[in-house]
């Protein structure tokens, strides 16, 4: 019975009162907005308290506020909504928390471009005014993203929507920063970082793309400082190989492997840096690879991460020759002010002139580029804020290792573990204006560094008032890492935090398992004491029909809004859901979307048929348990549905959403529509008991199928379900729910299984299908009924009962049935369905005289083709001069035509014997 709940009647929901007025085709644009509004305004997206069941909670991966949603968001939204709607129908207390990410670098870059178009530089208007402009952008695009999620059918609780720069989340960010600082896990220091000259900010290792790029490996000779007593003209050299000649100007050592016998006697000597004349030591270090170049490497601690570490071990000075603007510094001597790549070219030319170039080889380098701007990264030494990661990484590793968290698919366990086991400290400071400003103040009076959750106006050490807050902001992923608990009110002890943490599932793309997922696990365990979710589900990327990644430069980006407008939201959702498997990329193919648009129409048309043909039959919409099947087809469709319910429920629980959707599609289209609905057309013309039973099964299986399908295709299923109950059960108090979105999920009932019915009806299907195929093969006119002889063996009784069905669906005369036959009837086509024999008299299927005439013409044409091909291949001039692939193609044609002639002649001989 329907629970007492407040519902809002929003016209026009089910405004059609005459079943014959139902539209002939499904019209998604007339349906989607009204149902979403109905669901939202009636509070169906809010969690419905159920103390007897564990809450099911998902935190939506917050999209960046940098523009419109794309198909990546589409598959995320669809996958999560499938889980949410499924668990809501199970009766779980279901919460889906929506929100958006402030996306520091990305959003600042977009707004800066807008200002540039207006002829404005952010430095002209200042930080405060610039941040205000960004907020204007955010307010505009947050609303747009929210509306796009609604269009996708996302049934999230909008009353709990969050933004990573909300007051509450900002409070959480400061709390985490201060606590980690107090624990010694956040520190400020000079280290080598990834610097983007375009973003003018440090970025983390994860924000760098390494692109295999053709380059040059330049071998350079460094003169050695002469030994005491060595003749001045007896110059010795040591050669190194480098892909970055411009950094030679910043070299402070040459390093060799201590086990490399070639350089054993050179360790401790001094070399002279070309061009600048700096004397540098030759040191031994385990980091040097024997096989690279000459086995000796230049060491530039200010411009290479490995060299930086070598520099620390050997106490080497750092000479920065490339600035934050990617131009050469004063330390670069004659190249000061030049672009780094211009300086490279000029420096190599000077080295060649001095005879110091040994050789230059072609070489491929993994060139580091900014993920955001695609600018070539410059490793630079800078004072930044860092998080010590290993103390946080170890518990996160153990959470997966010991089963607290399950990753789907399991193969990503290794990816996750490998990264955490080799993790580096995380540079969290960014030289931006948009984002969470680092909660650190510096006292100009006494030099005190103050880290505080609250804004500081007075120095606690000297009471001075000359304080400066750190200019940098935190990496966007710092606040995102807190998402599963900060969105529930942490650090305050809220009812939501108590009830809904930890989440059930974190669903996202496999491409951000490091950026976001692992960091959420680390912070969740550290600050909440347990993992933030029990399952990590990773979907793949959406690619174009050719399997290529979508990008604006390739002009292959597909706008989900355009697809939804053209084909309907359900068609897009079902395509995204059923075209992929966990963790694998998918190709978005137009034909699939069109096919799923057709599936939505199939649902509508089948439902319209059921409503129109049963509206005058009483009985409402029974449950499966209330049904009283009378025929083999009745028992078969119920058996098939029970197995479908069991399978789909299991698949969803195992996160195999694609296969679950495909099985529902196959059942509804084939079993229900193509078979049972066709059979029902006959059964509905029977006696009143037959009509009642058939109508009940049609309605019940339609009702339950719509429930299974609802998480995948929410709009068409809600529209049909409402009409089904409106026309079949006018008493709303008898409805199972006020809306399909909260209707109970179908429950598998083993007691309702009937394996014998499935075996028998499957045999009938095979017989009908074989006869249909034979009709097509023989080109029998659709309206023509043909004779059929069936030798049924032990199934004679069953086939006797199904004779009328075979007659209807296979377009036969009344089948002639036998338990067995001593010999095959002459002049018939023989078919076999398991142990059942089928014989179709040929004279009853075709006009044999006309068919012989047609075959003679076709045989003559094939013989002519064969003669032409044989003539070609017998011509040695053709065989020797034509391209091999052309000759081979002719040989293949010869074989194919010979096979065709054999079949045609066999067929003619058979028919001639009949005639």
């Amino acid at each position: 019975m329907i629970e007492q709940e407040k519902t809002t009647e929003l016209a026009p929901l089910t405004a059609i009162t005459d079943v014959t007025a139902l539209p002939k085709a499904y019209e998604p644009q007339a349906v989607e907005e009204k149902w979403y509004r109905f669901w939202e305004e009636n509070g169906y997206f809010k969690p419905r308290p159920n103390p007897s069941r564990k809450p099911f909670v998902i935190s939506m991966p917050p999209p960046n506020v940098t523009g419109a949603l794309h198909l990546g968001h589409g598959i995320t939204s669809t996958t999560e909504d499938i889980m949410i709607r499924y668990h809501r129908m199970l009766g779980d207390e279901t919460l889906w928390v929506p929100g958006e990410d402030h996306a520091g670098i990305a959003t600042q870059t977009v707004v800066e471009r807008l200002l540039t178009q207006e002829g404005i530089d952010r430095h002209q208007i200042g930080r405060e005014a610039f941040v205000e402009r960004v907020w204007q952008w955010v307010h505009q695009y947050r609303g747009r993203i929210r509306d796009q999620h609604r269009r996708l059918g996302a049934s999230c609780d909008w009353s709990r929507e969050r933004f990573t720069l909300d007051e509450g989340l900002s409070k959480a960010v400061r709390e985490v920063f201060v606590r980690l600082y107090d624990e010694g896990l956040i520190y400020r220091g000079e280290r080598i970082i990834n610097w983007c000259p375009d973003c003018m900010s440090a970025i983390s290792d994860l924000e760098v793309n390494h692109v295999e790029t053709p380059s040059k490996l330049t071998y350079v000779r460094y003169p050695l400082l002469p030994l005491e007593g060595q003749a001045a003209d007896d110059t010795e050299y040591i050669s190194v190989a480098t892909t970055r000649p411009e950094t030679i100007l910043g070299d402070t050592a040459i390093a060799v492997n201590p086990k490399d016998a070639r350089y054993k006697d050179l360790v401790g000597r001094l070399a002279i840096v070309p061009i600048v004349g700096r004397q540098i030591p030759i040191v031994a270090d385990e980091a040097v690879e024997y096989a690279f170049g000459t086995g000796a490497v230049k060491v530039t601690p200010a411009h290479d991460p490995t060299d930086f570490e070598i520099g620390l071990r050997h106490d080497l000075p750092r000479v920065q020759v490339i600035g934050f603007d990617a131009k050469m510094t004063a330390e670069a001597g004659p190249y000061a002010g030049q672009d780094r790549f211009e300086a490279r070219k000029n420096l190599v030319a000077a080295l060649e002139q001095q005879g110091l170039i040994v050789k230059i080889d072609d070489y491929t380098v993994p060139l580091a580029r900014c993920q955001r701007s695609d600018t070539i990264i410059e490793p630079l030494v800078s004072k930044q804020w860092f998080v010590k990661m290993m103390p946080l990484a170890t518990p996160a590793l153990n959470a997966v290792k010991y089963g607290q968290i399950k990753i789907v698919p399991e193969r990503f366990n290794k990816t996750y573990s490998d990264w955490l086991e080799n993790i580096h400290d995380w540079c969290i400071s960014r030289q931006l204006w948009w984002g969470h400003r680092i909660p650190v103040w510096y006292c100009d009076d006494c030099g005190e560094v103050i880290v505080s959750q609250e804004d500081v106006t007075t120095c606690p050490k000297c009471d001075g008032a000359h304080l400066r807050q750190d200019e940098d902001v935190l990496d966007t992923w710092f606040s995102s890492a807190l998402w599963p608990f900060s969105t529930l009110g942490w650090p305050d002890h809220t009812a939501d935090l108590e009830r809904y943490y930890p989440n059930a599932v974190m669903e996202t793309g496999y491409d951000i398992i490091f950026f976001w997922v692992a960091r959420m696990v680390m912070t969740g365990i550290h600050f909440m004491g347990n993992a933030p979710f029990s399952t990590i589900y990773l979907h793949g990327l959406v690619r174009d029909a050719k399997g290529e990644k979508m990008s604006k430069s390739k002009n292959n980006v597909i706008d989900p809004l355009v697809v939804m407008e053209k084909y309907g939201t359900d068609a897009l959702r079902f395509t995204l859901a059923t075209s992929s498997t966990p963790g694998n990329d998918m190709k978005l193919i137009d034909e699939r979307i069109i096919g799923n648009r057709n599936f939505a129409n199939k649902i509508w048309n089948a439902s319209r048929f059921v409503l129109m043909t049963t509206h005058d039959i009483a009985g409402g919409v029974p449950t499966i348990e209330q049904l009283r099947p009378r025929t083999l087809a009745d028992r078969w469709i119920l058996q098939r549905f029970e197995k479908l319910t069991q399978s789909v429920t299991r698949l969803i629980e195992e996160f195999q959403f694609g296969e679950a959707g495909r099985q529902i599609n196959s059942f509804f289209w084939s079993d229900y529509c193509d078979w049972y609905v066709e059979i029902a057309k006959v059964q509905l013309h029977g006696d009143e008991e037959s009509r009642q039973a058939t109508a009940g099964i049609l309605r019940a299986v339609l009702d339950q199928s719509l429930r299974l399908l609802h998480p995948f295709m929410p709009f068409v299923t809600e529209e049909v379900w409402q009409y089904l109950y409106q026309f079949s059960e006018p008493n709303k108090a008898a409805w199972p729910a006020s809306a399909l979105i909260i209707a109970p999920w179908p429950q598998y009932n083993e007691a309702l299984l009937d394996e014998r019915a499935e075996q028998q009806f499957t045999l009938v299907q095979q017989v009908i299908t074989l006869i249909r195929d034979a009709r097509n093969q023989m080109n029998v006119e659709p309206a023509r009924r043909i004779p059929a002889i069936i030798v049924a063996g032990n199934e004679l009784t069953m086939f006797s009962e199904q004779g009328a069905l075979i007659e209807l669906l296979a377009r036969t005369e009344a089948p002639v049935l036998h338990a067995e036959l001593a010999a095959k009837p002459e002049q018939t086509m023989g078919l076999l369905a398991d142990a059942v024999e089928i014989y179709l008299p040929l004279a009853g299927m075709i006009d044999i005289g006309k068919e012989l005439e047609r075959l003679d013409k076709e045989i003559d044409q094939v013989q002519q083709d064969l003669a032409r091909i044989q003539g070609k291949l017998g011509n040695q001039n053709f065989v020797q001069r034509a391209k091999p692939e052309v000759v081979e193609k002719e040989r293949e044609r010869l074989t194919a035509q010979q096979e065709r002639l054999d079949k045609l002649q066999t067929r003619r001989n058979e028919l001639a014997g009949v005639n």
Side-chain angles (χ1 to χ4, degrees):
M1 301 291 287
I2 186 171
E3 57 188 280
Q4 296 302 309
E5 57 191 20
K6 180 183 177 182
T7 59
T8 306
E9 291 295 339
L10 296 172
L13 288 179
T14 51
I16 297 172
T17 55
D18 180 1
V19 69
T20 61
L22 286 169
K24 292 185 178 179
Y26 175 59
E27 300 167 356
Q29 283 70 31
V31 165
E32 293 172 0
E33 184 181 353
K34 74 175 184 182
W35 284 120
Y36 195 93
R37 193 172 73 251
F38 174 78
W39 294 329
E40 187 174 359
E41 294 190 9
N42 280 286
Y44 295 140
F45 298 164
K46 296 179 183 295
R48 302 160 74 83
N50 186 348
S52 66
R53 294 182 68 94
K54 186 178 179 181
F56 183 84
V57 184
I58 294 178
S59 294
M60 176 189 291
N64 293 347
V65 288
T66 48
L69 298 183
H70 51 68
L71 282 171
H73 300 110
I75 194 169
T76 296
S77 180
T78 297
T79 305
E80 292 178 15
D81 199 41
I82 288 171
M83 289 188 277
I84 288 292
R85 288 178 185 269
Y86 165 71
H87 281 274
R88 186 184 289 124
M89 295 174 78
L90 280 181
D92 292 340
E93 187 173 341
T94 306
L95 173 62
W96 187 10
V97 181
E100 301 80 29
D101 197 300
H102 68 277
I105 290 179
T107 306
Q108 177 158 323
T109 300
V110 170
V111 177
E112 282 197 71
R113 286 176 186 158
L114 289 176
L115 290 177
T116 300
Q117 293 172 10
E118 300 171 18
I120 300 172
D121 181 89
R122 67 180 167 104
H123 297 283
Q124 292 175 317
I125 61 174
R127 185 170 193 149
E128 187 175 340
F130 176 77
V131 169
E132 180 55 37
R133 282 296 299 268
V134 181
W135 273 113
Q136 291 173 18
W137 168 274
V138 166
H139 293 317
Q140 175 187 353
Y141 275 92
R142 278 190 74 189
R144 186 176 300 184
I145 289 170
R146 190 182 301 122
D147 291 343
Q148 288 171 340
H149 268 124
R150 286 188 167 98
R151 183 69 191 275
L152 282 162
S155 59
C156 43
D157 184 355
W158 291 109
S159 69
R160 287 176 165 87
E161 182 185 11
R162 297 292 182 264
F163 182 55
T164 50
L165 274 175
D166 281 349
E167 182 179 346
L169 275 71
S170 297
K171 179 180 178 181
V173 166
R174 284 199 172 186
E175 172 87 10
V176 167
F177 187 96
V178 172
R179 283 173 58 173
L180 290 178
Y181 179 83
D182 290 343
E183 293 169 21
L185 295 179
I186 281 183
Y187 65 93
R188 192 182 190 214
E190 279 198 339
R191 296 184 64 84
I192 199 94
I193 50 95
N194 303 301
W195 181 263
C196 174
D198 184 66
C199 300
M200 288 300 286
S201 176
I203 60 175
S204 72
D205 292 342
L206 292 177
E207 294 167 300
V208 176
N209 290 331
H210 293 277
V211 182
E212 293 296 319
T213 306
S215 185
K216 301 291 182 183
L217 185 61
T218 304
Y219 290 76
V220 182
R221 296 196 303 168
Y222 286 56
L224 297 181
L225 192 69
L227 295 170
E228 188 175 345
Q230 186 175 0
D233 58 353
D234 187 19
T235 305
E236 295 177 273
Y237 295 90
I238 184 170
S239 295
V240 303
T242 179
T243 58
R244 303 194 63 204
E246 69 277 13
T247 62
I248 286 174
L249 303 169
D251 287 354
T252 56
I254 288 175
V256 297
N257 192 290
K259 297 175 184 177
D260 193 335
R262 293 174 294 176
Y263 300 108
K264 183 178 179 182
D265 294 339
L266 295 184
V267 174
R269 290 188 62 178
L270 296 176
I272 301 170
V273 179
I275 307 296
V276 294
R278 183 184 308 117
Q279 294 182 11
I280 58 175
I282 299 174
V283 299
D285 197 281
E286 295 281 356
V288 179
E289 298 179 13
Y290 292 82
F292 177 75
T294 65
V297 297
K298 56 189 285 307
V299 180
T300 319
H303 294 287
D304 182 90
T306 302
D307 292 3
F308 180 84
E309 297 298 330
I310 293 174
L312 291 178
R313 287 193 288 272
H314 297 276
D315 196 25
L316 301 175
R318 301 171 196 150
V319 179
Q320 184 174 340
V321 293
I322 301 173
F324 293 95
D325 58 358
K327 292 183 178 180
M328 307 305 286
T329 67
E331 294 282 3
Y335 304 97
Q338 293 183 10
D339 175 80
R340 51 184 165 164
F341 300 118
E342 179 188 4
R344 175 184 297 181
K345 183 176 67 174
N346 294 337
L347 182 64
V348 170
L351 292 172
E352 283 181 326
Q353 192 173 15
Q354 294 180 19
L356 296 177
I357 298 292
V358 178
K359 63 176 179 174
I360 299 177
D361 291 342
D362 290 332
Y363 193 73
T364 300
V365 297
L367 195 62
R369 290 182 173 274
C370 173
Q371 188 186 65
R372 189 66 55 187
S373 68
D374 202 38
T375 303
I376 295 173
I377 290 300
E378 191 60 52
L380 294 174
V381 174
S382 176
K383 185 173 281 190
Q384 302 284 346
W385 288 94
F386 295 87
V387 177
K388 291 181 181 177
M389 297 303 286
M390 194 51 74
L392 299 172
T394 301
L397 263 170
N398 291 336
V400 170
K401 183 178 180 180
Y402 296 111
Q404 292 173 274
I405 297 176
K406 177 178 73 172
I407 299 179
V408 180
E410 190 177 356
R411 70 176 185 272
F412 283 98
N413 282 13
K414 185 176 187 307
T415 308
Y416 175 91
S417 299
D418 285 351
W419 184 68
L420 287 175
E421 287 169 356
N422 298 283
I423 200 165
H424 299 291
D425 286 357
W426 175 17
C427 176
I428 56 172
S429 46
R430 299 289 180 271
Q431 289 64 54
L432 305 170
W433 286 353
W434 173 248
H436 292 278
R437 196 162 175 182
I438 291 177
V440 175
W441 287 260
Y442 306 100
C443 178
D444 289 337
D445 294 330
C446 70
E448 181 72 359
V449 177
I450 306 122
V451 178
S452 172
Q453 294 179 28
E454 306 296 332
D455 287 354
V456 179
T457 56
T458 305
C459 176
K461 183 176 181 181
C462 70
D463 292 330
H466 298 99
L467 299 175
R468 292 176 293 107
Q469 186 175 358
D470 197 301
E471 292 288 328
D472 292 349
V473 299
L474 289 165
D475 180 6
T476 295
W477 298 102
F478 189 92
S479 54
S480 303
L482 319 180
W483 190 249
F485 52 95
S486 65
T487 53
L488 298 174
W490 189 90
D492 295 334
H493 297 286
T494 65
D496 273 7
L497 187 66
E498 179 71 23
R499 180 65 175 154
Y500 301 126
Y501 186 91
N503 296 179
V505 178
M506 171 45 60
E507 190 282 338
T508 190
Y510 66 71
D511 53 330
I512 56 173
I513 188 172
F514 309 131
F515 283 105
W516 191 40
V517 177
R519 288 168 176 165
M520 283 189 289
V521 176
M522 287 187 263
T523 58
I525 293 173
H526 192 78
F527 292 100
M528 296 297 297
N530 55 342
F533 27 74
S534 55
T535 301
I536 298 168
Y537 175 87
L538 301 171
H539 66 248
L541 304 178
V542 183
R543 299 182 179 272
D544 70 8
K546 297 178 182 177
E548 294 183 2
K549 191 172 181 178
M550 294 186 190
S551 68
K552 292 179 181 177
S553 62
K554 293 180 182 177
N555 196 31
N556 65 347
V557 174
I558 299 172
D559 184 346
L561 291 177
V562 172
V563 177
M564 289 187 285
E565 192 64 37
K566 187 174 182 180
Y567 300 112
T569 298
D570 288 328
L572 175 62
R573 285 174 58 117
F574 201 72
T575 302
L576 292 172
T578 57
S579 298
S580 63
T581 53
N584 293 322
D585 294 350
M586 62 161 285
K587 296 179 184 178
L588 190 68
I589 300 171
D590 283 349
E591 288 75 15
R592 286 180 184 165
I593 304 173
I594 294 168
N596 290 322
R597 187 265 319 268
N598 296 342
F599 181 43
N601 281 328
K602 186 79 171 180
I603 296 165
W604 178 261
N605 291 334
S607 305
R608 185 171 177 269
F609 166 81
V610 171
L611 295 175
M612 293 183 69
T613 54
T614 68
H615 71 280
D616 61 341
I617 302 175
V621 184
T623 65
I624 297 291
E625 289 76 10
Q626 292 172 328
L627 296 172
R628 296 294 178 264
R630 302 178 78 241
T631 68
L632 176 62
D634 292 347
R635 297 195 301 276
W636 167 78
I637 194 68
L638 296 181
Q639 153 80 4
R640 294 288 293 163
F641 180 77
E642 284 304 316
K643 289 177 70 174
L644 176 73
T645 298
Q646 180 189 36
S647 181
V648 167
T649 302
R650 174 183 58 79
L651 288 166
I652 291 178
E653 291 288 345
E654 294 174 355
F655 303 95
Q656 297 288 344
F657 308 115
E659 181 58 24
R662 289 187 288 272
Q663 289 190 12
I664 301 170
N665 174 289
S666 176
F667 169 84
F668 192 86
W669 197 302
S670 178
D671 294 354
Y672 186 71
C673 295
D674 291 352
W675 287 97
Y676 190 75
V677 166
E678 293 303 311
I679 294 166
K681 291 176 182 178
V682 177
Q683 295 183 176
L684 285 170
H685 287 91
D687 58 29
E688 190 56 30
E689 282 189 19
S690 175
R691 281 165 49 80
Q692 288 275 359
T694 302
I697 291 172
L698 282 170
R699 291 170 182 164
V701 175
L702 176 60
D703 170 23
Q704 298 294 311
S705 297
L706 292 171
R707 299 192 201 194
L708 291 179
L709 192 54
H710 179 74
F712 299 84
M713 305 177 82
F715 294 109
V716 65
T717 53
E718 184 74 73
E719 176 83 349
V720 169
W721 192 86
Q722 293 281 343
Y723 278 126
L724 172 64
Y725 273 89
Q726 176 186 326
F727 290 121
S728 304
E729 184 54 79
N731 177 16
K732 282 199 171 185
W735 289 23
S738 59
L740 176 57
I741 190 174
I742 55 168
W745 183 257
Q747 297 299 306
Y748 168 67
N749 188 341
E750 188 176 3
L752 298 177
L753 292 181
D754 190 336
E755 297 289 350
R756 177 65 176 152
E758 182 168 11
Q759 292 169 4
Q760 289 185 321
F761 193 80
T762 298
L763 194 56
V764 173
Q765 284 180 303
Q766 290 175 2
V767 169
I768 292 170
T769 301
L770 285 169
I771 297 173
R772 284 173 170 175
D773 290 345
R775 291 176 62 102
N776 290 333
Q777 180 185 338
M778 303 296 291
N779 296 316
V780 178
E781 301 93 328
R784 184 173 185 171
R785 293 189 176 276
I786 62 173
I789 302 167
I790 298 176
V791 184
N794 295 333
E795 296 291 357
L796 181 63
T797 302
M798 184 271 289
F799 272 99
S800 299
E801 294 169 351
Q802 303 305 312
L805 188 61
I806 295 169
E807 188 178 340
L808 169 74
L809 297 180
R811 302 292 294 167
T812 69
E813 298 171 359
V816 178
L817 300 169
H818 301 274
E820 57 183 45
L821 280 178
K824 171 187 173 182
E826 295 182 0
Q827 301 178 354
T828 60
M829 175 184 285
L831 307 169
L832 194 64
D834 286 344
V836 176
E837 300 170 21
I838 308 146
Y839 299 103
L840 305 177
L842 294 173
M845 289 196 286
I846 55 174
D847 183 321
I848 295 177
K850 286 184 178 180
E851 181 64 9
L852 284 171
E853 191 176 316
R854 186 191 69 78
L855 284 170
D856 285 339
K857 288 180 181 178
E858 192 169 350
I859 287 169
D860 182 60
Q861 182 63 51
V862 173
Q863 287 173 334
Q864 290 180 38
D865 286 346
L866 275 170
R868 279 194 296 271
I869 298 168
Q870 287 167 341
K872 257 188 180 183
L873 292 174
N875 183 344
Q876 289 303 309
N877 195 36
F878 168 75
V879 173
Q880 292 172 5
R881 292 190 177 185
K883 292 181 178 179
E885 58 267 28
V886 173
V887 176
E888 182 59 30
K889 190 172 182 180
E890 289 299 318
R891 287 178 177 144
E892 289 173 358
R893 283 186 60 209
L894 178 67
T895 302
Q897 288 295 69
Q898 285 173 335
E899 290 175 356
R900 186 180 173 198
L901 181 62
D902 291 343
K903 289 179 181 177
L904 288 169
Q905 289 175 333
T906 300
R907 176 85 179 119
R908 193 195 186 289
N909 292 337
E910 289 175 351
L911 289 178
V914 173
N915 201 33

